[in-house]
Amino acid sequence: MFYHMNRIWLLLLLGGFLVPGVRHVCGIEIYTPSEVEAVNGTSVKLKCTFSSSHPVSRQSVMVSWNFRPLKGGKDESVFHYQDIAYPPQNGPFKDHAVWSGDIMRKDASITLLEVPPTFNGTYICQVRNLPDVHGQSGEIILKVVSKASVSELSILVTAVAGACGVILILLGIFVAVRFFKKKRMENDIELDTGDHSKDKTVCSPAEAAYVMYVTKKIEAVSSDDEESEPSSGDDDNEEDCLSGDDDDDDDDDDIDDDDDDD
């Protein structure tokens, strides 16, 4: 009995050491979309991310991309990364594959430029992070089509319609603000006009006519007074003349008196 218990404890102890080792070996996992569609002559990004139980560095991570044609056949190298990117120097993918990933963010993606119909097939993403060297690869099926699919067209139409809707809403708000601003200015002008009409210093047409009439009457009376002033001057002359005659008479009397004295 004691012997069997010791064996059980020994197995559990060995399992405790082995399980972490298995987890380390099988710790790397790769994530890719199952299918991607691209229009002939355009660029497409092949997304590939990974996770690892070991720390990630540019020196420890190795990335390989391979291509398998639709009709089958031998895999063809597309791209390689180890510390730096190694694009293909020959073959159909030369000048068509560029690095789009970031190892420190656990991103091993690449971008295919100006894809032709011959690029139809399966793309295999393999990532190794030493000592994580085991794990399943990620596979992406690329379909190169002559026209965008209905789903992509619908997304494009929706995006354009949304942009147009936003522009129309902004334009409507602008027009509404201008309209209410103009309406407010007109109301202010009407209020100012009403205040002037109530001003006591402003005469109505009837009052203005009456004032003109009274003014003319006053001017007529004033002109008559001015014409009558010379007659008063004649009266003064007449008085002066009369007084002058009296003076002459006095002078004559004085002369006569002088003669009598002689």
Side-chain angles (χ1 to χ4, degrees), residues 33-147:
S34 59
E35 187 175 306
V36 175
E37 186 176 281
V39 179
N40 183 17
T42 63
S43 300
V44 60
K45 184 176 182 178
L46 303 181
K47 187 74 175 178
C48 178
T49 58
F50 64 94
S51 63
S52 177
S53 58
H54 281 275
V56 173
S57 67
R58 292 183 176 87
Q59 292 76 23
S60 64
V61 175
M62 295 180 294
V63 179
S64 296
W65 281 89
N66 297 315
F67 170 69
R68 184 182 303 137
L70 288 176
K71 297 180 180 180
K74 186 179 178 180
D75 292 354
E76 187 172 353
S77 177
V78 177
F79 203 92
H80 184 75
Y81 180 96
Q82 187 175 4
D83 194 13
I84 60 173
Y86 293 92
Q89 299 299 317
N90 49 45
F93 294 98
K94 182 182 179 182
D95 300 329
H96 285 279
V98 295
W99 178 251
S100 300
D102 186 347
I103 294 299
M104 301 310 298
R105 294 185 178 182
K106 299 179 180 180
D107 186 355
S109 304
I110 63 172
T111 298
L112 299 180
L113 307 176
E114 301 177 356
V115 293
T118 55
F119 281 13
N120 277 303
T122 302
Y123 291 81
I124 304 165
C125 176
Q126 295 178 331
V127 181
R128 301 291 182 263
N129 180 35
L130 299 175
D132 286 346
V133 295
H134 298 286
Q136 294 182 351
S137 303
E139 296 185 357
I140 304 174
I141 298 175
L142 176 62
K143 293 182 178 180
V144 181
V145 297
S146 58
K147 294 182 180 179

Side-chain angles (χ1 to χ4, degrees), residues 220-235:
V221 172
S222 299
S223 62
D224 292 340
D225 292 340
E226 291 176 356
E227 291 177 356
S228 61
E229 285 178 359
S231 61
S232 62
D234 294 339
D235 293 341

Side-chain angles (χ1 to χ4, degrees), residues 25-40:
V25 172
C26 302
I28 193 163
E29 294 183 2
I30 300 174
Y31 311 95
T32 57
S34 59
E35 187 175 306
V36 175
E37 186 176 281
V39 179
N40 183 17

